[in-house]
């Protein structure tokens, strides 16, 4: 929930007050989010290996410290370069990185659950939706009362107060490390009809990084996810400034921003349960398709307030499906023992693609490209990425 302060959706409400106060262009400010994502891409290989070997306890506490420091630093920033510096530090935290880069909040859960991994990851993923639903409108209120700098300060302090002690006190690597079994099973209760047989709790095969890198499936996952992230990061960055420019009332914008993550809360729960019964690739197809459909209200009825609300609802459904697909595809296809290391190989490339979306879109708009063209291009590419996922069946380990 508190890592949602690093969410691009939340950052979007700061764009206009920050660029007006600091007198910078849209594309220049877009690099704040992109630099955070790029530094996150640099950090994910290291974070993934450390999580596989030692767990998330101390690296999570350090990540919370760096995330809070980044947001508190925005309070003191006097120019673009200082914003870039603190954004870079925020990316090293491993939090707020799009595209399945949230290793600190998703990988530990996948380690503790196998049979019920879909619902466990879904429940955890609601945190981002709940946090964004709360922090976006609260952030708007705080910006209008205490200013954008003080709002970042408040958000950074909250991260420090919750994440650092939370990880340090409670987090452990895997259930086996403390004498337990995945999914809360009890090795002494073999005769209980309500409990799955112990020999069936971990039927998955655990791939090594080298084995995974030899599969075409992993590289196609990288391709599809990179296209998806490139489109979505640019659209997320552009939405609020576009709505402000065409005169959509502030109340409607705030409500629309709230509808998106609120819808995600229920969507991830639904698709998390479905992921235990249907292939993960179906969730990715739904995610790409629904986000593509969500662009139609902006393309057809972009100047109407209702288009903002409908777009955000449909976008939230697609987000929920794709979040589940991204968080589950690696442990489902390649097992849980090396998931951090495998993710550490492909996540940097995915994050680079996502990071380039916002500044490229900002540059295009600053140079006169019609926003409708960006909406249409994003629609096609998001649907294509979901379609690629649909054909990716689990690889076979020889």
């Amino acid at each position: 929930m508190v890592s949602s302060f690093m969410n691009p959706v939340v950052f979007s409400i700061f764009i206009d007050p920050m660029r007006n106060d600091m007198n910078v262009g849209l594309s220049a400010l877009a690099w704040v989010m992109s630099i955070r994502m790029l530094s996150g891409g640099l950090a994910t290989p290291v974070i993934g290996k450390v999580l596989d070997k030692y767990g998330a306890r101390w690296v999570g506490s350090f990540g919370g410290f760096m995330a809070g420091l980044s947001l508190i630093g925005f309070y003191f920033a006097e120019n673009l370069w200082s914003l870039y510096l603190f954004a870079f530090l925020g990316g090293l935290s491993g939090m707020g990185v799009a595209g399945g880069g949230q290793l600190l909040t998703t990988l530990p859960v996948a380690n503790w659950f196998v049979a019920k991994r879909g619902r466990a990851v879904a429940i955890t993923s609601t945190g981002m939706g709940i946090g964004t639903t709360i922090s976006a409108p609260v952030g708007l209120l705080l910006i209008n009362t205490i200013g954008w700098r003080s709002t970042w300060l408040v958000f950074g302090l909250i991260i420090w107060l919750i994440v650092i002690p939370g990880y340090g006190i409670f987090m452990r690597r895997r259930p086996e490390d403390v004498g337990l079994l995945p999914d809360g099973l009890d090795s002494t209760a073999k005769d209980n009809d309500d409990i799955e047989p112990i020999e069936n709790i971990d039927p998955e095969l655990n791939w090594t990084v080298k084995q995974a890198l030899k599969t075409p499936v992993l590289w196609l996952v990288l391709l599809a996810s990179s296209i998806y992230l490139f489109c979505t990061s640019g659209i997320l960055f552009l939405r609020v400034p576009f709505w402000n420019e065409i005169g959509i009332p502030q109340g409607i914008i705030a409500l629309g921003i709230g509808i998106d993550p609120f819808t995600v809360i229920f969507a991830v729960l639904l698709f998390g349960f479905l992921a235990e019964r249907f292939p993960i690739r179906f969730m990715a197809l739904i995610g790409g398709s629904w986000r593509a459909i969500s662009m139609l209200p902006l393309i057809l009825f972009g100047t109407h307030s209702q288009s903002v609300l409908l777009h955000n609802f449909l976008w939230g459904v697609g987000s929920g499906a794709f979040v589940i697909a991204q968080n589950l595809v690696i442990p489902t296809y390649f097992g849980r023992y090396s998931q951090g290391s495998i993710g550490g190989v492909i996540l940097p490339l995915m994050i680079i693609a996502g990071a380039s979306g916002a500044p490229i879109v900002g540059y295009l708009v600053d140079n006169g490209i019609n926003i409708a063209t960006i909406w249409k291009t994003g629609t096609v590419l998001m649907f294509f990425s979901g379609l690629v996922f649909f054909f990716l069946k689990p690889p076979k380990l020889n």
Side-chain angles (χ1 to χ4, degrees), residues 47-243:
I47 292 175
K49 289 183 179 179
V50 173
L51 290 176
D52 284 339
K53 189 171 184 179
Y54 300 107
R57 188 178 187 182
W58 302 119
V59 70
S61 298
F62 175 76
F65 172 78
M66 294 298 290
L69 177 65
S70 170
L71 301 190
I72 292 171
F74 287 165
Y75 174 83
F76 298 98
E78 296 295 336
N79 52 53
L80 265 178
W81 295 108
S82 54
L83 286 176
Y84 293 163
L85 171 62
F86 289 116
F88 181 85
L89 296 177
L92 298 180
S93 71
M95 295 185 175
V97 182
Q102 294 272 41
L103 294 178
L104 290 174
T105 54
T106 57
L107 189 147
V109 181
N111 270 328
W112 277 73
F113 293 86
V114 177
K116 299 180 181 179
R117 181 180 288 153
R119 71 190 71 181
V121 169
I123 292 169
T124 308
S125 299
T126 62
M128 181 64 75
I130 295 170
T132 306
T133 300
I134 297 172
S135 57
V138 170
L140 278 172
L141 177 63
L142 291 175
I143 289 171
N144 292 325
T145 53
I146 63 176
W148 65 268
R149 293 181 182 273
S150 296
T151 303
W152 282 130
L153 177 64
V154 170
F155 285 174
L157 291 174
I158 292 174
I159 288 179
W160 273 0
L161 291 172
I162 294 178
V163 176
I164 296 175
Y167 273 81
I169 295 172
F170 297 109
M171 188 63 71
R172 297 296 183 272
R173 185 181 63 159
R174 296 191 186 104
E176 293 91 340
D177 294 346
V178 290
L180 301 176
L181 293 171
D183 298 300
L185 298 182
D186 185 348
S187 60
T188 65
K190 294 183 179 180
D191 297 329
N192 191 331
D193 292 337
D194 295 331
I195 296 180
E196 187 177 353
I198 298 303
E199 58 268 20
N200 294 335
I201 64 168
D202 194 3
E204 61 188 359
L205 295 172
N206 290 291
W207 298 61
T208 65
V209 177
K210 290 183 179 180
Q211 290 170 331
L213 291 176
K214 294 178 181 179
T215 63
V217 169
L218 184 66
W219 299 106
L220 288 171
V221 167
L222 169 63
L223 172 66
S225 298
S226 297
I227 293 173
Y228 185 85
L229 290 172
F230 174 82
C231 298
T232 56
S233 65
I235 292 169
L236 284 173
F237 179 80
L238 190 60
R239 290 189 312 181
V240 174
F242 168 70
W243 291 329

Side-chain angles (χ1 to χ4, degrees), residues 37-38 40-46 222 226 341-355:
M37 294 175 67
L38 289 170
L42 294 174
T44 47
V46 177
L222 169 63
S226 297
S341 301
I342 295 171
V345 173
I346 66 171
L347 283 173
L349 300 174
M350 291 165 51
I351 291 168
I352 289 172

Side-chain angles (χ1 to χ4, degrees), residues 280-340:
I280 295 299
R281 54 199 179 93
F282 288 7
M283 308 303 114
L285 175 63
I286 294 171
S289 300
W290 276 75
R291 272 200 170 177
I293 293 171
S294 76
M295 300 304 297
L296 297 181
L298 298 186
I299 295 171
L300 300 176
F301 317 105
T303 58
H304 296 278
S305 297
Q306 292 82 355
S307 69
V308 175
L309 305 181
L310 181 58
H311 160 76
N312 278 279
F313 170 74
L314 297 173
W315 182 278
V317 175
S319 298
F322 215 89
V323 162
I324 292 299
Q326 285 187 316
N327 289 336
L328 292 180
V329 65
I330 291 180
T332 301
Y333 280 19
F334 302 104
R336 60 193 175 110
Y337 290 154
S338 298
Q339 57 174 320

